[in-house]
Amino acid sequence: MIKIDYRDPRPIYEQVVDGIEELALRGALPADTQIPSVRQLAMELSINPNTIQRAYGELERRGVIYAAKGRGNFISDNMTVLRERRLEEIGAQIGALAAQARTLGADEDRLRGWLQKKGVDGA
Amino acid sequence: MIKIDYRDPRPIYEQVVDGIEELALRGALPADTQIPSVRQLAMELSINPNTIQRAYGELERRGVIYAAKGRGNFISDNMTVLRERRLEEIGAQIGALAAQARTLGADEDRLRGWLQKKGVDGA
Amino acid sequence: MIKIDYRDPRPIYEQVVDGIEELALRGALPADTQIPSVRQLAMELSINPNTIQRAYGELERRGVIYAAKGRGNFISDNMTVLRERRLEEIGAQIGALAAQARTLGADEDRLRGWLQKKGVDGA
Amino acid sequence: MIKIDYRDPRPIYEQVVDGIEELALRGALPADTQIPSVRQLAMELSINPNTIQRAYGELERRGVIYAAKGRGNFISDNMTVLRERRLEEIGAQIGALAAQARTLGADEDRLRGWLQKKGVDGA
DNA sequence: GTGGTCTAGACCACG
DNA sequence: GTGGTCTAGACCACT
């Protein structure tokens, strides 16, 4: 389902959160899809169940998944809203970076060029 | 000189580093300008001198300033190189964010629009 | 694991950095090997944990180790690159010393002889 | 006579010591040559006289110069011995570096090649 | 338990 | 006065 990288400086629970959120945001996991149970995912990833528990808690808080007691965890059905929210967030970040670049002397052409550039890693 | 925001999740020493680096990168502090002494800046910001010391150490490692025992800390004269390096970095980040936005369905017009948007905070 | 020499003019944290870096460079500590925790090594060497923390921070910055909160510190897997970089550095130092020796009148035979000599301490 | 570089991490008095010692070692300043007075050199270099005083003290301790009270400071006449001592020192350093390089896998050819290489800075 | 940040206070070397 | 190192002890986040 997802991969965790122990060299990644991000805490493990955050890698889990980001991984599942991304799958949900880009539609790879449709609404009401059941995701692995805490124990099962913990086994798969060889991780402490507490860590998965924490990740699922955060995902629920964000509205990405919902928990049905005794039945499991499922992808939320309002991903469209969350996706739009995420896009706004990305937009704000790009805007801030662009402003900073201008301060350092980058011109508009260079900025536009970056939109096509494939970055090394995410921000 | 700079401000510390205690609600900012970044550690204090990092806020100091970023603050001074930005001033140097955009030329507000010319080469060989002396910056406040460790103790003085610690007083101004009501921060422990060790924290400032750590920030200055990091700035020296990055080549933003150079230190001379008994004399003080000064802005480096290779800010042009560092500025270009920073721009490359920003470019990569924008590229990554743009790619992610496309995955979520944003079209080119929207991406270009973000370049003008003023973001809430940096990334 | 390593030893501290209080008569060594180098600061303690630097001795720790050099000691561990050397072990990693010559392959005595393979990639992904876990190294002693900050507190544990501090106990072993009878040194303040903050000093070890600083050394580990420097090692991480150099790419010799990577740290994961709550799990520990581990040897990086790019030691091959770092080893080559270190060799280049040694080469430059030897070149500079050789040039200086020539200025003082040493001939080529003498220089070549030094390559076999076992020095008292490092440079 | 000599130059001091404020960006150099070495303390100023050490730059003065090294500078004069080098001139004496390679014969640029013959035996019994008078060197500038403390005050005069301090003026020339725009440096605190105390700093020059300290440098001269160190040079005298090393046997590079001798002070004649009321008459000034002069280059020692045993530079031949000091030069030989310095060469031994360089030899030991090269030997140590070579040994370290071998540990990291450098072969003899590479080591010999470094003797010709011009290093970026001194060691 | 782990690493990471911060404070407080001391001591040293340099100018 | 300056920067730099070290100790002691506290608190936080992560597993």
Side-chain angles (χ1 to χ4, degrees):
Chain A
M1 186 153 193
I2 60 174
K3 284 187 179 179
I4 66 156
D5 176 6
Y6 285 102
R7 315 255 176 83
D8 194 317
R10 287 178 303 172
I12 295 179
Y13 88 91
E14 197 175 321
Q15 293 188 44
V16 174
V17 168
D18 289 354
I20 294 182
E21 186 177 39
E22 197 205 334
L23 288 174
L25 281 176
R26 34 171 250 252
L29 296 176
D32 300 317
T33 305
Q34 181 165 11
I35 62 175
S37 75
V38 168
R39 288 183 215 157
Q40 184 182 339
L41 189 54
M43 288 264 299
E44 273 183 32
L45 302 179
S46 302
I47 283 179
N48 189 313
N50 287 331
T51 304
I52 303 293
Q53 186 64 278
R54 174 166 185 180
Y56 279 15
E58 174 66 13
L59 283 167
E60 193 176 359
R61 197 190 63 72
R62 292 192 192 182
V64 176
I65 65 175
Y66 61 90
K69 280 183 187 171
R71 297 203 352 266
N73 294 278
F74 303 84
I75 299 294
S76 167
D77 64 345
N78 64 342
M79 293 315 296
T80 313
V81 178
L82 294 181
R83 184 181 306 124
E84 189 50 36
R85 194 177 300 168
R86 175 74 183 123
L87 281 172
E88 287 298 335
E89 197 177 304
I90 292 178
Q93 287 176 356
I94 288 185
L97 287 167
Q100 195 181 348
R102 282 195 193 88
T103 303
L104 299 184
D107 60 14
E108 298 305 313
D109 272 359
R110 193 168 184 192
L111 288 176
R112 271 192 295 274
W114 284 336
L115 289 178
Q116 314 305 331
K117 185 174 185 175
K118 39 180 188 258
V120 177
D121 63 11
Chain B
M1 188 151 192
I2 60 175
K3 284 187 178 181
I4 297 300
D5 178 4
Y6 283 97
R7 294 170 315 182
D8 194 318
R10 287 177 305 169
I12 297 177
Y13 82 91
E14 199 174 318
Q15 293 186 44
V16 174
V17 168
D18 290 354
I20 293 183
E21 187 177 38
E22 198 205 333
L23 288 175
L25 280 176
R26 43 170 240 251
L29 298 176
D32 298 315
T33 306
Q34 182 163 10
I35 61 176
S37 78
V38 170
R39 292 160 172 85
Q40 183 184 338
L41 189 54
M43 289 262 301
E44 274 183 31
L45 302 178
S46 300
I47 283 177
N48 188 292
N50 277 327
T51 305
I52 303 293
Q53 180 73 283
R54 176 170 184 183
Y56 278 15
E58 174 68 12
L59 284 167
E60 187 177 10
R61 197 191 61 69
R62 292 192 191 181
V64 176
I65 67 175
Y66 61 90
K69 278 187 194 172
R71 298 204 349 267
N73 291 279
F74 305 84
I75 300 293
S76 168
D77 67 340
N78 65 341
M79 294 314 296
T80 313
V81 178
L82 296 180
R83 185 183 304 126
E84 188 52 35
R85 194 176 299 170
R86 176 75 183 119
L87 282 172
E88 290 294 339
E89 199 178 304
I90 291 178
Q93 287 177 355
I94 289 185
L97 288 168
Q100 194 181 348
R102 284 196 192 86
T103 303
L104 298 184
D107 61 13
E108 299 304 313
D109 270 358
R110 192 167 183 193
L111 288 176
R112 271 191 295 274
W114 284 336
L115 288 179
Q116 314 305 332
K117 185 173 186 174
K118 39 180 185 258
V120 178
D121 64 12
Chain C
M1 189 151 192
I2 61 174
K3 284 186 178 181
I4 298 300
D5 178 4
Y6 283 97
R7 294 170 314 182
D8 193 318
R10 289 177 303 169
I12 297 178
Y13 83 91
E14 198 174 320
Q15 293 187 45
V16 174
V17 168
D18 290 354
I20 293 183
E21 187 176 37
E22 198 204 332
L23 289 174
L25 280 176
R26 33 172 251 251
L29 297 175
D32 297 316
T33 306
Q34 182 163 10
I35 62 176
S37 78
V38 170
R39 291 160 172 85
Q40 183 184 338
L41 188 55
M43 288 261 302
E44 274 183 31
L45 302 178
S46 300
I47 283 177
N48 188 292
N50 277 329
T51 304
I52 303 294
Q53 180 73 283
R54 176 169 183 182
Y56 278 16
E58 174 67 13
L59 285 167
E60 187 178 9
R61 197 192 60 69
R62 293 193 192 180
V64 175
I65 66 175
Y66 60 90
K69 277 187 192 172
R71 299 203 351 269
N73 290 280
F74 305 84
I75 299 294
S76 168
D77 67 340
N78 64 342
M79 295 314 296
T80 312
V81 178
L82 295 180
R83 185 182 303 127
E84 188 51 38
R85 194 176 300 169
R86 176 75 183 120
L87 281 172
E88 289 295 339
E89 199 178 305
I90 292 178
Q93 287 177 355
I94 289 185
L97 287 168
Q100 195 181 347
R102 282 196 194 85
T103 303
L104 298 184
D107 60 14
E108 299 304 313
D109 270 359
R110 192 168 183 192
L111 289 176
R112 271 192 295 275
W114 284 336
L115 288 179
Q116 313 305 331
K117 184 173 185 175
K118 36 180 188 261
V120 178
D121 66 8
Chain D
M1 185 151 191
I2 60 173
K3 283 186 179 180
I4 67 155
D5 176 6
Y6 286 101
R7 314 255 175 84
D8 194 316
R10 286 178 304 172
I12 295 178
Y13 86 92
E14 196 175 321
Q15 294 187 44
V16 175
V17 168
D18 290 355
I20 294 183
E21 185 177 38
E22 197 205 334
L23 289 175
L25 281 176
R26 42 169 241 250
L29 296 177
D32 300 316
T33 305
Q34 181 165 11
I35 61 176
S37 74
V38 168
R39 288 183 216 159
Q40 184 181 341
L41 188 54
M43 289 263 299
E44 272 184 32
L45 302 178
S46 302
I47 283 178
N48 189 312
N50 288 330
T51 305
I52 303 293
Q53 185 65 278
R54 175 166 186 181
Y56 279 15
E58 173 67 13
L59 284 167
E60 193 176 359
R61 198 191 62 73
R62 293 192 192 182
V64 175
I65 66 175
Y66 62 90
K69 279 182 187 172
R71 296 202 353 265
N73 294 278
F74 303 84
I75 300 294
S76 167
D77 63 346
N78 65 340
M79 293 314 297
T80 314
V81 178
L82 294 180
R83 185 183 304 125
E84 189 52 34
R85 194 179 297 168
R86 176 73 184 126
L87 281 173
E88 287 298 335
E89 198 178 304
I90 293 178
Q93 287 176 355
I94 289 186
L97 288 168
Q100 194 181 348
R102 283 195 192 88
T103 303
L104 299 184
D107 60 13
E108 299 304 313
D109 271 0
R110 192 168 184 192
L111 288 176
R112 272 190 295 273
W114 284 336
L115 287 179
Q116 314 306 330
K117 185 174 185 175
K118 41 180 184 250
V120 177
D121 63 12

